[in-house]
mmCIF file of all heavy atoms in Angstrom:
data_model
loop_
_atom_site.group_PDB
_atom_site.id
_atom_site.type_symbol
_atom_site.label_atom_id
_atom_site.label_comp_id
_atom_site.label_asym_id
_atom_site.label_seq_id
_atom_site.Cartn_x
_atom_site.Cartn_y
_atom_site.Cartn_z
ATOM 1 N N HIS N 8 58.596 -41.053 120.841
ATOM 2 C CA HIS N 8 59.602 -40.310 121.619
ATOM 3 C C HIS N 8 59.282 -38.819 121.641
ATOM 4 O O HIS N 8 59.366 -38.171 122.698
ATOM 5 C CB HIS N 8 60.985 -40.541 121.004
ATOM 6 C CG HIS N 8 62.055 -39.653 121.569
ATOM 7 N ND1 HIS N 8 62.607 -39.845 122.823
ATOM 8 C CD2 HIS N 8 62.649 -38.533 121.058
ATOM 9 C CE1 HIS N 8 63.508 -38.896 123.055
ATOM 10 N NE2 HIS N 8 63.545 -38.098 122.001
ATOM 11 N N ASP N 9 58.893 -38.264 120.495
ATOM 12 C CA ASP N 9 58.588 -36.827 120.433
ATOM 13 C C ASP N 9 57.388 -36.492 121.305
ATOM 14 O O ASP N 9 57.365 -35.446 121.967
ATOM 15 C CB ASP N 9 58.319 -36.425 118.984
ATOM 16 C CG ASP N 9 59.588 -36.367 118.145
ATOM 17 O OD1 ASP N 9 60.696 -36.306 118.743
ATOM 18 O OD2 ASP N 9 59.484 -36.390 116.901
ATOM 19 N N ALA N 10 56.363 -37.337 121.282
ATOM 20 C CA ALA N 10 55.184 -37.091 122.104
ATOM 21 C C ALA N 10 55.536 -37.127 123.594
ATOM 22 O O ALA N 10 55.094 -36.272 124.377
ATOM 23 C CB ALA N 10 54.108 -38.128 121.795
ATOM 24 N N ARG N 11 56.351 -38.099 123.972
ATOM 25 C CA ARG N 11 56.749 -38.210 125.386
ATOM 26 C C ARG N 11 57.557 -36.985 125.822
ATOM 27 O O ARG N 11 57.383 -36.478 126.937
ATOM 28 C CB ARG N 11 57.574 -39.485 125.571
ATOM 29 C CG ARG N 11 58.034 -39.714 127.015
ATOM 30 C CD ARG N 11 58.856 -40.979 127.153
ATOM 31 N NE ARG N 11 58.038 -42.165 126.940
ATOM 32 C CZ ARG N 11 58.224 -43.039 125.973
ATOM 33 N NH1 ARG N 11 59.198 -42.838 125.077
ATOM 34 N NH2 ARG N 11 57.468 -44.095 125.860
ATOM 35 N N ARG N 12 58.395 -36.486 124.945
ATOM 36 C CA ARG N 12 59.215 -35.328 125.274
ATOM 37 C C ARG N 12 58.353 -34.080 125.478
ATOM 38 O O ARG N 12 58.593 -33.281 126.396
ATOM 39 C CB ARG N 12 60.251 -35.067 124.174
ATOM 40 C CG ARG N 12 61.214 -33.927 124.485
ATOM 41 C CD ARG N 12 62.340 -33.873 123.473
ATOM 42 N NE ARG N 12 61.827 -33.678 122.117
ATOM 43 C CZ ARG N 12 62.611 -33.688 121.038
ATOM 44 N NH1 ARG N 12 63.912 -33.894 121.158
ATOM 45 N NH2 ARG N 12 62.083 -33.489 119.830
ATOM 46 N N VAL N 13 57.329 -33.906 124.647
ATOM 47 C CA VAL N 13 56.421 -32.759 124.810
ATOM 48 C C VAL N 13 55.730 -32.837 126.162
ATOM 49 O O VAL N 13 55.614 -31.833 126.877
ATOM 50 C CB VAL N 13 55.379 -32.731 123.672
ATOM 51 C CG1 VAL N 13 54.275 -31.714 123.978
ATOM 52 C CG2 VAL N 13 56.050 -32.388 122.346
ATOM 53 N N ALA N 14 55.284 -34.022 126.535
ATOM 54 C CA ALA N 14 54.610 -34.204 127.824
ATOM 55 C C ALA N 14 55.546 -33.873 128.981
ATOM 56 O O ALA N 14 55.145 -33.211 129.957
ATOM 57 C CB ALA N 14 54.099 -35.641 127.947
ATOM 58 N N GLU N 15 56.789 -34.296 128.875
ATOM 59 C CA GLU N 15 57.760 -34.005 129.929
ATOM 60 C C GLU N 15 58.010 -32.508 130.040
ATOM 61 O O GLU N 15 58.055 -31.945 131.134
ATOM 62 C CB GLU N 15 59.071 -34.744 129.651
ATOM 63 C CG GLU N 15 58.975 -36.257 129.823
ATOM 64 C CD GLU N 15 60.253 -36.964 129.393
ATOM 65 O OE1 GLU N 15 61.139 -36.290 128.812
ATOM 66 O OE2 GLU N 15 60.357 -38.190 129.621
ATOM 67 N N GLU N 16 58.130 -31.851 128.892
ATOM 68 C CA GLU N 16 58.420 -30.419 128.890
ATOM 69 C C GLU N 16 57.255 -29.599 129.432
ATOM 70 O O GLU N 16 57.450 -28.587 130.105
ATOM 71 C CB GLU N 16 58.758 -29.960 127.467
ATOM 72 C CG GLU N 16 60.089 -30.502 126.941
ATOM 73 C CD GLU N 16 60.306 -30.178 125.470
ATOM 74 O OE1 GLU N 16 59.353 -29.656 124.836
ATOM 75 O OE2 GLU N 16 61.400 -30.449 124.956
ATOM 76 N N MET N 17 56.043 -30.047 129.168
ATOM 77 C CA MET N 17 54.859 -29.293 129.576
ATOM 78 C C MET N 17 54.304 -29.766 130.913
ATOM 79 O O MET N 17 53.370 -29.167 131.456
ATOM 80 C CB MET N 17 53.763 -29.388 128.498
ATOM 81 C CG MET N 17 54.156 -28.807 127.140
ATOM 82 S SD MET N 17 54.686 -27.062 127.205
ATOM 83 C CE MET N 17 53.189 -26.264 127.808
ATOM 84 N N GLY N 18 54.862 -30.867 131.439
ATOM 85 C CA GLY N 18 54.518 -31.283 132.794
ATOM 86 C C GLY N 18 53.195 -32.009 132.954
ATOM 87 O O GLY N 18 52.500 -31.841 133.960
ATOM 88 N N PHE N 19 52.817 -32.856 131.982
ATOM 89 C CA PHE N 19 51.613 -33.656 132.162
ATOM 90 C C PHE N 19 51.940 -35.122 131.883
ATOM 91 O O PHE N 19 52.913 -35.434 131.183
ATOM 92 C CB PHE N 19 50.463 -33.171 131.268
ATOM 93 C CG PHE N 19 50.759 -33.166 129.790
ATOM 94 C CD1 PHE N 19 50.634 -34.324 129.029
ATOM 95 C CD2 PHE N 19 51.138 -31.993 129.144
ATOM 96 C CE1 PHE N 19 50.903 -34.311 127.671
ATOM 97 C CE2 PHE N 19 51.400 -31.973 127.784
ATOM 98 C CZ PHE N 19 51.290 -33.136 127.045
ATOM 99 N N PRO N 20 51.156 -36.059 132.424
ATOM 100 C CA PRO N 20 51.449 -37.486 132.227
ATOM 101 C C PRO N 20 51.218 -37.917 130.790
ATOM 102 O O PRO N 20 50.398 -37.343 130.071
ATOM 103 C CB PRO N 20 50.467 -38.189 133.178
ATOM 104 C CG PRO N 20 49.377 -37.206 133.416
ATOM 105 C CD PRO N 20 50.014 -35.850 133.336
ATOM 106 N N HIS N 21 51.959 -38.946 130.376
ATOM 107 C CA HIS N 21 51.868 -39.452 129.014
ATOM 108 C C HIS N 21 51.952 -40.966 129.041
ATOM 109 O O HIS N 21 52.760 -41.550 129.750
ATOM 110 C CB HIS N 21 53.013 -38.890 128.167
ATOM 111 C CG HIS N 21 53.082 -39.462 126.780
ATOM 112 N ND1 HIS N 21 53.976 -40.462 126.435
ATOM 113 C CD2 HIS N 21 52.351 -39.197 125.671
ATOM 114 C CE1 HIS N 21 53.805 -40.760 125.155
ATOM 115 N NE2 HIS N 21 52.832 -40.007 124.673
ATOM 116 N N TYR N 22 51.065 -41.600 128.263
ATOM 117 C CA TYR N 22 51.023 -43.051 128.203
ATOM 118 C C TYR N 22 51.103 -43.520 126.752
ATOM 119 O O TYR N 22 50.575 -42.878 125.845
ATOM 120 C CB TYR N 22 49.726 -43.583 128.826
ATOM 121 C CG TYR N 22 49.539 -43.178 130.269
ATOM 122 C CD1 TYR N 22 48.742 -42.074 130.594
ATOM 123 C CD2 TYR N 22 50.155 -43.873 131.295
ATOM 124 C CE1 TYR N 22 48.573 -41.679 131.902
ATOM 125 C CE2 TYR N 22 49.995 -43.489 132.622
ATOM 126 C CZ TYR N 22 49.210 -42.385 132.914
ATOM 127 O OH TYR N 22 49.051 -41.997 134.215
ATOM 128 N N VAL N 23 51.782 -44.646 126.548
ATOM 129 C CA VAL N 23 51.833 -45.297 125.238
ATOM 130 C C VAL N 23 51.034 -46.589 125.344
ATOM 131 O O VAL N 23 51.300 -47.426 126.213
ATOM 132 C CB VAL N 23 53.289 -45.605 124.825
ATOM 133 C CG1 VAL N 23 53.303 -46.330 123.472
ATOM 134 C CG2 VAL N 23 54.111 -44.334 124.746
ATOM 135 N N LEU N 24 50.049 -46.733 124.477
ATOM 136 C CA LEU N 24 49.201 -47.917 124.492
ATOM 137 C C LEU N 24 49.486 -48.783 123.273
ATOM 138 O O LEU N 24 49.561 -48.287 122.154
ATOM 139 C CB LEU N 24 47.719 -47.504 124.477
ATOM 140 C CG LEU N 24 47.267 -46.561 125.598
ATOM 141 C CD1 LEU N 24 45.771 -46.262 125.468
ATOM 142 C CD2 LEU N 24 47.575 -47.154 126.969
ATOM 143 N N ASP N 25 49.667 -50.080 123.504
ATOM 144 C CA ASP N 25 49.941 -51.020 122.427
ATOM 145 C C ASP N 25 48.616 -51.445 121.785
ATOM 146 O O ASP N 25 47.871 -52.244 122.344
ATOM 147 C CB ASP N 25 50.674 -52.241 122.987
ATOM 148 C CG ASP N 25 51.057 -53.239 121.887
ATOM 149 O OD1 ASP N 25 50.654 -53.028 120.727
ATOM 150 O OD2 ASP N 25 51.758 -54.222 122.185
ATOM 151 N N TYR N 26 48.339 -50.888 120.612
ATOM 152 C CA TYR N 26 47.111 -51.190 119.893
ATOM 153 C C TYR N 26 47.405 -51.954 118.607
ATOM 154 O O TYR N 26 46.595 -51.960 117.678
ATOM 155 C CB TYR N 26 46.388 -49.877 119.528
ATOM 156 C CG TYR N 26 45.464 -49.349 120.608
ATOM 157 C CD1 TYR N 26 45.711 -49.573 121.951
ATOM 158 C CD2 TYR N 26 44.338 -48.611 120.271
ATOM 159 C CE1 TYR N 26 44.874 -49.074 122.931
ATOM 160 C CE2 TYR N 26 43.480 -48.103 121.242
ATOM 161 C CZ TYR N 26 43.768 -48.339 122.578
ATOM 162 O OH TYR N 26 42.923 -47.843 123.536
ATOM 163 N N GLU N 27 48.551 -52.632 118.548
ATOM 164 C CA GLU N 27 48.939 -53.303 117.308
ATOM 165 C C GLU N 27 47.899 -54.326 116.855
ATOM 166 O O GLU N 27 47.524 -54.369 115.678
ATOM 167 C CB GLU N 27 50.304 -53.974 117.474
ATOM 168 C CG GLU N 27 51.480 -53.017 117.391
ATOM 169 C CD GLU N 27 52.808 -53.746 117.277
ATOM 170 O OE1 GLU N 27 52.842 -54.805 116.608
ATOM 171 O OE2 GLU N 27 53.795 -53.279 117.844
ATOM 172 N N ASN N 28 47.435 -55.163 117.774
ATOM 173 C CA ASN N 28 46.473 -56.203 117.393
ATOM 174 C C ASN N 28 45.141 -55.594 116.970
ATOM 175 O O ASN N 28 44.523 -56.033 115.998
ATOM 176 C CB ASN N 28 46.268 -57.176 118.553
ATOM 177 C CG ASN N 28 47.479 -58.063 118.798
ATOM 178 O OD1 ASN N 28 48.281 -58.284 117.889
ATOM 179 N ND2 ASN N 28 47.622 -58.560 120.014
ATOM 180 N N ILE N 29 44.700 -54.583 117.712
ATOM 181 C CA ILE N 29 43.439 -53.915 117.367
ATOM 182 C C ILE N 29 43.560 -53.276 115.985
ATOM 183 O O ILE N 29 42.657 -53.383 115.148
ATOM 184 C CB ILE N 29 43.107 -52.842 118.424
ATOM 185 C CG1 ILE N 29 42.761 -53.508 119.758
ATOM 186 C CG2 ILE N 29 41.951 -51.949 117.968
ATOM 187 C CD1 ILE N 29 42.598 -52.533 120.906
ATOM 188 N N PHE N 30 44.683 -52.611 115.731
ATOM 189 C CA PHE N 30 44.901 -51.926 114.464
ATOM 190 C C PHE N 30 44.936 -52.909 113.303
ATOM 191 O O PHE N 30 44.357 -52.670 112.237
ATOM 192 C CB PHE N 30 46.204 -51.133 114.534
ATOM 193 C CG PHE N 30 46.479 -50.260 113.338
ATOM 194 C CD1 PHE N 30 45.682 -49.178 113.037
ATOM 195 C CD2 PHE N 30 47.559 -50.528 112.514
ATOM 196 C CE1 PHE N 30 45.934 -48.358 111.950
ATOM 197 C CE2 PHE N 30 47.830 -49.716 111.418
ATOM 198 C CZ PHE N 30 47.011 -48.637 111.141
ATOM 199 N N LYS N 31 45.603 -54.041 113.515
ATOM 200 C CA LYS N 31 45.683 -55.041 112.453
ATOM 201 C C LYS N 31 44.297 -55.602 112.136
ATOM 202 O O LYS N 31 43.913 -55.699 110.964
ATOM 203 C CB LYS N 31 46.616 -56.183 112.855
ATOM 204 C CG LYS N 31 46.780 -57.250 111.757
ATOM 205 C CD LYS N 31 47.727 -58.354 112.189
ATOM 206 C CE LYS N 31 47.929 -59.343 111.039
ATOM 207 N NZ LYS N 31 46.680 -59.977 110.593
ATOM 208 N N ASP N 32 43.546 -55.936 113.184
ATOM 209 C CA ASP N 32 42.232 -56.537 112.970
ATOM 210 C C ASP N 32 41.231 -55.545 112.379
ATOM 211 O O ASP N 32 40.425 -55.902 111.514
ATOM 212 C CB ASP N 32 41.677 -57.088 114.293
ATOM 213 C CG ASP N 32 42.483 -58.270 114.816
ATOM 214 O OD1 ASP N 32 43.237 -58.869 114.030
ATOM 215 O OD2 ASP N 32 42.364 -58.576 116.027
ATOM 216 N N ALA N 33 41.268 -54.297 112.845
ATOM 217 C CA ALA N 33 40.247 -53.324 112.475
ATOM 218 C C ALA N 33 40.572 -52.542 111.214
ATOM 219 O O ALA N 33 39.668 -52.019 110.566
ATOM 220 C CB ALA N 33 40.017 -52.349 113.643
ATOM 221 N N VAL N 34 41.860 -52.454 110.862
ATOM 222 C CA VAL N 34 42.252 -51.570 109.761
ATOM 223 C C VAL N 34 43.054 -52.301 108.685
ATOM 224 O O VAL N 34 42.670 -52.317 107.510
ATOM 225 C CB VAL N 34 43.062 -50.359 110.287
ATOM 226 C CG1 VAL N 34 43.481 -49.452 109.127
ATOM 227 C CG2 VAL N 34 42.244 -49.578 111.310
ATOM 228 N N ILE N 35 44.169 -52.906 109.067
ATOM 229 C CA ILE N 35 45.085 -53.461 108.070
ATOM 230 C C ILE N 35 44.475 -54.627 107.308
ATOM 231 O O ILE N 35 44.568 -54.709 106.076
ATOM 232 C CB ILE N 35 46.415 -53.883 108.723
ATOM 233 C CG1 ILE N 35 47.139 -52.655 109.285
ATOM 234 C CG2 ILE N 35 47.304 -54.596 107.711
ATOM 235 C CD1 ILE N 35 48.466 -52.974 109.966
#
């Protein structure tokens, strides 16, 4: 939420990417 708000305030696009599976396989 905080990252999205900064993007809105500064006027640039913001995307959230679901990396849960990648993170679990590669790190956890």
